[in-house]
Amino acid sequence: MIREPSMLVRETATEQLEENQCDWVYLKSDVVLDIIWNMVFLVVSVGVFFLSRDERPEMPLRLWIIGSAKQVNNRW
């Protein structure tokens, strides 16, 4: 009696796992797009950081860039 519900749970979990495996292809593409987006963000941030190195505003742009980069890194 105890084994029956346990087997049912295992069978259900196995079925769900098999159904979800076909969705993993889309997840991999999402990961690749996210990595590309983050690389573009990194390149643009470094470019703006480089171009603004001689500026002296009240709120330095460097702080904003560093904060944004840290926010992106926290997602991983």
Side-chain angles (χ1 to χ4, degrees), residues 33-52:
L33 289 174
D34 195 38
I35 289 171
I36 291 171
W37 175 254
N38 286 332
M39 288 297 132
V40 169
F41 179 80
L42 178 67
V43 169
V44 170
S45 297
V46 169
V48 170
F49 183 72
F50 179 76
L51 293 173
S52 67

Side-chain angles (χ1 to χ4, degrees), residues 17 19-30:
L17 184 61
E19 289 174 3
N20 289 338
Q21 282 180 342
C22 65
D23 293 337
W24 290 354
V25 174
Y26 300 111
L27 294 176
K28 288 178 186 177
S29 64
D30 289 345

